[in-house]
Amino acid sequence: MDQKVTPSLTMKRRLNATPAEVYRAWTQPDLLARWFGPENVTAQEAELDARVGGRYRITMRGDDGEIHQVSGTYHEVVENERLVFDWAWVSTPERVSRVTVTFKPDGDVTILTLLHEQFFDQDAATRHTRGWTGSMDKLERLFS
C-alpha cells in the first residue's frame, strides 16, 4: 500500500544568541509575542505550557484586522535543545501538522532549524513558508 507523501518545509537561521536565549524566546509568552507571526501580523496573546503534554494557543492580528489562532500540544520538550509540537489553526482543527525546532550552539551563536511537516497540501506548505519566513526574520531582529 502506498503512503501519501505530505509536503513539508525546513528553515535554518543563525541567531546572535545562546541556545538558552533562543529557547526562552519560544517558550516564554512575553518574548514569543515580540516576534511570532509573519510580517504585518502581530501576536496579541500567547498561552504556553511548554512541557510534554502541555498545550499552547497563540492569537495573532493582521494589519487588516483579521484574527488568526493556532494551537497544539507539545510532544517533546528538551530545554535549550528541542521542541516538537502539533500545529493546527483554530479555523481548520482537522488539519494537524507537526513542528520540530532544534537549537544548536555554534560558537557564540545558535543554529535554529525549523522543520514543519505533515501539511494538508502543497498550498498550505507554501503559505506556511511565507509565514515562517516573516517570523524568522523578526526573531533574527530580536537578537540583533
Side-chain angles (χ1 to χ4, degrees), residues 127-143:
R127 287 192 322 272
H128 282 81
T129 297
R130 286 193 301 268
W132 279 119
T133 297
S135 286
M136 294 297 100
D137 289 348
K138 291 197 275 186
L139 183 59
E140 267 189 276
R141 288 194 297 270
L142 181 70
F143 294 116

Side-chain angles (χ1 to χ4, degrees), residues 47-97:
E47 300 170 22
L48 310 172
D49 183 11
R51 62 180 174 82
V52 174
R55 298 199 40 83
Y56 72 91
R57 177 184 293 260
I58 303 165
T59 302
M60 298 167 275
R61 178 185 292 275
D63 284 353
D64 59 3
E66 190 173 348
I67 299 293
H68 309 274
Q69 286 187 325
V70 66
S71 66
T73 302
Y74 292 97
H75 295 279
E76 288 182 50
V77 178
V78 181
E79 189 172 352
N80 306 331
E81 292 180 22
R82 180 180 170 94
L83 294 169
V84 179
F85 50 91
D86 289 340
W87 176 277
W89 294 103
V90 172
S91 59
T92 53
E94 72 283 358
R95 294 185 179 190
V96 179
S97 54

Side-chain angles (χ1 to χ4, degrees), residues 98-116:
R98 179 159 293 203
V99 178
T100 302
V101 185
T102 58
F103 314 96
K104 298 283 185 199
D106 185 23
D108 295 337
V109 302
T110 298
I111 305 300
L112 179 144
T113 304
L114 180 138
L115 169 64
H116 194 155

Side-chain angles (χ1 to χ4, degrees), residues 7-18:
S8 66
L9 69 87
T10 302
M11 294 185 176
K12 285 188 181 237
R13 292 293 174 110
R14 186 176 175 86
L15 302 170
N16 290 320
T18 66

